[in-house]
Amino acid sequence: MKVSIFSTCLVDLMTPKVGIAMVEVLERLGCEIDYPASQVCCGQPAYNSGYLKDSKLAMKNMMLAFESSDYVVGPSGSCIAMFHEYPKIFKGDPDWELKAITLKEKSYEFTQFIVKVLGITDVGASLDGTATYHRSCHMTRLLGEKETPFQLLEHVKGLHMEPLKNSDNCCGFGGTFSVKMPDISEQMVDEKSSCVIDTGADILISADMGCLLNIGGRLSRKGEPVKIMHIAEVLNHLNPVIAKGGSQN
C-alpha cells in the first residue's frame, strides 16, 4: 500500500515528532511511504478568513502535489476535512473540479485510514496510564469521523480511558478564531481544561494538534501535570511505561 504523507503546517513546523510517529506506525503496518516535497498549507486559514482567491492558489498546489498519490494520509481531521471541501470550492471549474474530487476520494485522516482502509483496529501499542480524549470540532463535524480514534484506543494495552464531560464542546482554538476572538477563546479553553482535570487523567489525547496545543497550554498555565499526546504518538508507543507529568512532548 503506497501512502503519501500530508504533514500539515502545525505538525511540520511545531510538532514534527507527531509526523514521525505517524510514519513509523504506517510503516509498521506495511505501508510504503513517500512525502511530496511541494506540499504547503491546505489553504484553510486563508479560506476561513474570506480570502478565497488567495486560498485557491494553495489548494491548486496541493492538488498537483498529490496528483500521483494512491492514498493521502494526514495527522489532522481538520486539514483532511479541508481537502474534502475542495470539490465544492472548485465546482464547475473545468480545469480543477475533477482534480479536487480525486484528492478528496483518496484523502484520509490517520486513524480513518488505519481502520477503514487497512482494516486494522489493534496496532500493537502499549501504554500504562489513564487518558481522556478530546474530539476536535472539524474532525467530528466537518469530516464526520467519530469512531475510528476510539476503536484504536480500545486496543492499546494498559491504557484506561475516562470519558470527557462536554466532549462535543469546542476547545476555543478554531484556527483563526482564537486570534480574532481571544477573550471568548480563553473562556472556552478554560472550560475545556477544567473538564480534562475533572477526569483525573494523566494524558490528554486528540487527533488534532491545534486543539492539543491550545488545551495543553492552558493546562500548563494552571500548573496541571497532564501530558498531551497526539493519537499517532499513542499508537506508536510500544513500551508500556511513560514518564508522567507535563504538557509538552
Side-chain angles (χ1 to χ4, degrees):
M1 183 92 51
K2 295 183 178 180
V3 174
S4 294
I5 295 299
F6 167 33
S7 63
T8 77
C9 299
L10 283 180
V11 168
D12 186 34
L13 298 174
M14 300 185 71
T15 55
K17 288 192 291 186
V18 172
I20 293 170
M22 176 175 65
V23 168
E24 290 180 347
V25 171
L26 292 174
E27 287 183 335
R28 199 166 70 242
L29 298 179
C31 296
E32 181 181 336
I33 304 298
D34 67 24
Y35 181 88
S38 60
Q39 63 180 284
V40 291
C41 177
C42 64
Q44 184 181 130
Y47 178 72
N48 288 348
S49 298
Y51 298 101
L52 177 59
K53 183 178 178 180
D54 294 326
S55 67
K56 279 187 173 181
L57 296 175
M59 295 177 201
K60 289 176 181 178
N61 180 83
M62 295 301 267
M63 286 186 273
L64 294 177
F66 294 108
E67 193 168 24
S68 61
S69 302
D70 292 342
Y71 291 96
V72 180
V73 177
S76 166
S78 179
C79 297
I80 293 297
M82 189 63 208
F83 277 1
H84 285 220
E85 293 290 306
Y86 283 15
K88 180 176 69 177
I89 295 168
F90 289 94
K91 186 174 179 60
D93 188 316
D95 297 320
W96 295 98
E97 183 178 12
L98 182 57
K99 288 183 173 64
I101 293 170
T102 300
L103 180 57
K104 173 187 175 181
E105 291 180 345
K106 63 184 177 183
S107 296
Y108 294 86
E109 181 272 332
F110 173 64
T111 66
Q112 262 191 338
F113 181 76
I114 294 175
V115 174
K116 296 186 175 179
V117 178
L118 298 182
I120 296 170
T121 55
D122 187 346
V123 301
S126 181
L127 175 60
D128 285 341
T130 299
T132 193
Y133 183 88
H134 166 69
R135 297 175 181 263
S136 72
C137 295
H138 286 184
M139 182 165 169
T140 304
R141 296 177 172 88
L142 298 183
L143 190 61
E145 184 52 67
K146 302 177 181 180
E147 303 298 332
T148 55
F150 296 98
Q151 290 174 292
L152 290 162
L153 290 172
E154 283 177 5
H155 292 88
V156 176
K157 296 176 180 63
L159 187 63
H160 173 71
M161 297 296 300
E162 284 287 341
L164 182 63
K165 182 182 176 182
N166 299 325
S167 63
D168 289 338
N169 286 5
C170 178
C171 73
F173 178 63
T176 55
F177 173 80
S178 60
V179 177
K180 293 178 178 179
M181 304 286 185
D183 293 337
I184 299 174
S185 175
E186 181 181 354
Q187 295 302 310
M188 294 170 73
V189 73
D190 195 52
E191 178 190 56
K192 179 64 69 170
S193 60
S194 294
C195 290
V196 172
I197 294 166
D198 288 345
T199 67
D202 306 310
I203 306 164
L204 172 65
I205 303 170
S206 187
D208 271 290
M209 278 312 304
C211 301
L212 278 174
L213 290 172
N214 189 40
I215 305 169
R218 192 60 176 168
L219 289 167
S220 178
R221 284 168 175 78
K222 289 183 173 185
E224 295 292 339
V226 180
K227 185 178 181 66
I228 62 168
M229 294 184 75
H230 188 279
I231 193 167
E233 296 175 292
V234 175
L235 298 180
N236 195 41
H237 205 279
L238 306 180
N239 182 347
V241 179
I242 186 170
K244 298 183 180 181
S247 61
Q248 300 300 318
N249 290 299

